[in-house]
Amino acid sequence: MLRHAFLGALLCVVPVTAHAHGTTYRDANEATRHAPCLKLGADESLGPSYAKFEAFFTALYEHAGLCTTSIAMAPKRIEQLLVRGELDGDWFRPSDYATQFSDRLTALPQPVFGLEAHLIWLKRNSFSGKPEDLKGLTVGHQAGFRWLETHLPQMGARTMAVPSTTHTWNMLDRGRIDVFATSGVHKAALTAAWQDKTNNMNSALWTTVSFYHLLHPKHKDKVEQLNSALREMIITHHSAADLQIPGIQPAKLAD
């Protein structure tokens, strides 16, 4: 079952929301070994995929000789706390977001993965499935997926943020929205929940968006070691780097 993308602002109360891990440190000096774990904002709306992403970032930080604790919360809450320095990092954000906030946040140069953006509509709707034909349509979109928030209006669509995907099918069926735009990860969860309805549904891949790991600027000194660890995990096909999740594409090595 999908968790709500917006369940209210969660405070950083580690005993309730944090997922802490013991770590082993490779080639770490004593100062690094005993440094406090970095607190990462973790998207609570990832449903069944959450644990795989958590394992990935735990492995990445271990590989870099660092320690991390992931804290599940809504994407908007992560944004607020990270900018204020109350979180040390954010699991991932799309390329547009990393560029837009480059003066306040630091992104690793190497993308973590590619996330598919999908369009979903009912077969009785005449929509072609092409993004350029979204003009004039009412498009519900997954709240928190910043790339969609930016690019749907550019296509001329009338947009509606959908904080919870629980009622998405009803919104489509009742004509409140013509199309629903979401990530490949959420699309897989939705279609699994809609098994008895998928014969009446169409979907199309819009594009694949590169996602980056973000840090607060106070941790710029850790960018190089984390980026090197990430690239090595991708090159060696480290088990955690092979994110076998519907809607996720392997990252291409950055120049």
Side-chain angles (χ1 to χ4, degrees):
M1 182 179 295
L2 286 174
R3 282 182 275 181
H4 292 173
F6 291 86
L7 297 177
L10 300 183
L11 299 177
C12 297
V13 184
V14 174
V16 176
T17 60
H19 302 266
H21 300 270
T23 59
T24 58
Y25 305 100
R26 190 187 64 145
D27 301 328
N29 57 31
E30 286 302 308
T32 300
R33 186 183 299 273
H34 297 293
C37 291
L38 273 69
K39 295 181 293 184
L40 302 182
D43 185 349
E44 68 181 7
S45 71
L46 290 167
S49 302
Y50 184 98
K52 290 184 179 180
F53 284 113
E54 184 179 33
F56 171 85
F57 283 100
T58 300
L60 170 62
Y61 273 68
E62 287 181 353
H63 207 59
L66 298 168
C67 173
T68 185
T69 297
S70 294
I71 305 175
M73 60 182 71
K76 296 288 187 183
R77 184 62 172 160
I78 294 171
E79 293 175 13
Q80 296 165 358
L81 296 181
L82 181 57
V83 168
R84 296 207 301 256
E86 295 177 41
L87 286 174
D88 299 302
D90 187 351
W91 271 6
F92 42 73
R93 293 284 169 158
S95 51
D96 285 5
Y97 184 89
T99 300
Q100 181 182 355
F101 294 96
S102 60
D103 59 332
R104 284 179 276 173
L105 302 172
T106 300
L108 302 191
Q110 172 60 48
V112 179
F113 57 83
L115 180 64
E116 297 173 358
H118 284 261
L119 301 172
I120 300 173
W121 68 102
L122 300 188
K123 286 185 177 179
R124 67 174 186 245
N125 189 314
S126 60
F127 175 56
S128 68
K130 298 177 181 178
E132 56 267 30
D133 291 333
L134 290 170
K135 185 175 181 179
L137 298 182
T138 300
V139 182
H141 63 86
Q142 174 192 330
F145 192 164
R146 284 282 194 166
W147 189 90
L148 291 174
E149 293 177 6
T150 300
H151 287 268
L152 282 170
Q154 293 176 4
M155 306 310 294
R158 298 190 297 267
T159 62
M160 179 188 300
V162 180
S164 167
T165 54
T166 304
H167 303 295
T168 302
W169 183 269
N170 286 337
M171 295 176 73
L172 287 165
D173 191 39
R174 295 177 182 177
R176 291 188 61 197
I177 58 176
D178 301 304
V179 179
F180 182 65
T182 190
S183 71
V185 174
H186 282 81
K187 180 207 165 189
L190 283 172
T191 52
W194 296 346
Q195 288 183 18
D196 60 335
K197 302 181 179 73
T198 51
N199 287 337
N200 299 315
M201 182 189 88
N202 280 330
S203 66
L205 173 66
W206 181 347
T207 190
T208 299
V209 185
S210 293
F211 271 62
Y212 293 79
H213 180 48
L214 297 180
L215 293 172
H216 189 274
K218 65 186 176 183
H219 295 298
K220 278 187 177 180
D221 61 322
K222 300 175 180 66
V223 168
E224 184 177 349
Q225 68 194 101
L226 280 166
N227 197 64
S228 295
L230 176 57
R231 289 176 62 86
E232 184 177 332
M233 287 173 66
I234 293 170
I235 291 169
T236 60
H237 296 285
H238 187 286
S239 59
D242 291 328
L243 290 166
Q244 299 298 315
I245 299 172
I248 295 293
Q249 297 294 329
K252 296 180 180 178
L253 288 175
D255 296 332

